[in-house]
Amino acid sequence: MEIYIEKNYNDVSKRASDIITTLLKKRPTAILGLSTGSTPLKLYNNLVGKFKKKEISFKKIKTFNLDEYLSLSPTDENSYRYFMWKNLFSKIDIDVKNTFFPTDFKPNYKNYDKKIKLFGGIDLQILGIGRNGHIAFNEPNAKFSSRTREIFLAKTTIEYNARFFKDTESVPKKAVTMGIKTIMEARQIILIINGENKSKIVYDALFGSVSTKVPASILQRHKNVIVILDKMAAQDFKK
Ligand code: PGA
């Protein structure tokens, strides 16, 4: 596991987008695993900038998103497909036919994993961490052997994500998430984290025991993980 502690969110996003840029230059047909939420916003913005400067093209890539709310239509502004469209896909030269979300495969989610395998597997997975240690929507106590499936969101996740909705009640209770095993099969993972509110869980995930109580702790067993975090998120490292 390589760990980079950056000054701030901008630098976290810059390092992450530089790694993706290098990959896309080397492998224009790369398969990317994408995440949503607040953390990757600047990273996507940087990639759009590099596309506009003609440094990279997304024409031949394929993408698989980590998760999606079960009950929201793709045009709902809180759906993750809409998030990806607004923040990345609409601003680059990607073919939308090459962008995949687990809910597209309802109810045969096994076919999501099959599709990933069919294309040769994920070259690089962008990942964040939830304040409860979740990766994608693999909430605490999810099995390390899990595959893409429907799950119930943890109460902590519903409360945290309520900031995007009218109120807590409006947050969907169910979602579809890539499984932990599916995530672990990615050839490379970039875990990006910023902010003080993640510092405790990041410490537990990276240096605590590997346990389903902290789903992200499984990343300690992956051979090629790059962790990029800001000083605030790394503040517990010294203690
Ligand atoms: P965030 O979400 O980037 O909005 O903090 C991360 C996550 O829940 O994985």
Side-chain angles (χ1 to χ4, degrees), residues 9 35-41 66-67 80 83 127-137 139 157 160-161 163-164 191-194 197-198:
Y9 176 59
S35 68
T36 52
S38 305
T39 315
L41 278 171
L66 282 173
D67 42 23
Y80 289 157
F83 174 101
L127 204 59
I129 184 172
R131 285 194 298 179
N132 63 0
H134 74 199
I135 45 174
F137 278 144
E139 305 285 22
T157 300
Y160 181 61
N161 288 1
R163 69 195 190 282
F164 299 113
L191 176 63
I192 50 172
I193 314 137
N194 74 290
N197 62 5
K198 301 269 178 80

Side-chain angles (χ1 to χ4, degrees), residues 168-179:
T168 311
E169 270 310 293
S170 311
V171 183
K173 307 285 176 286
K174 285 186 91 177
V176 184
T177 183
M178 219 187 248

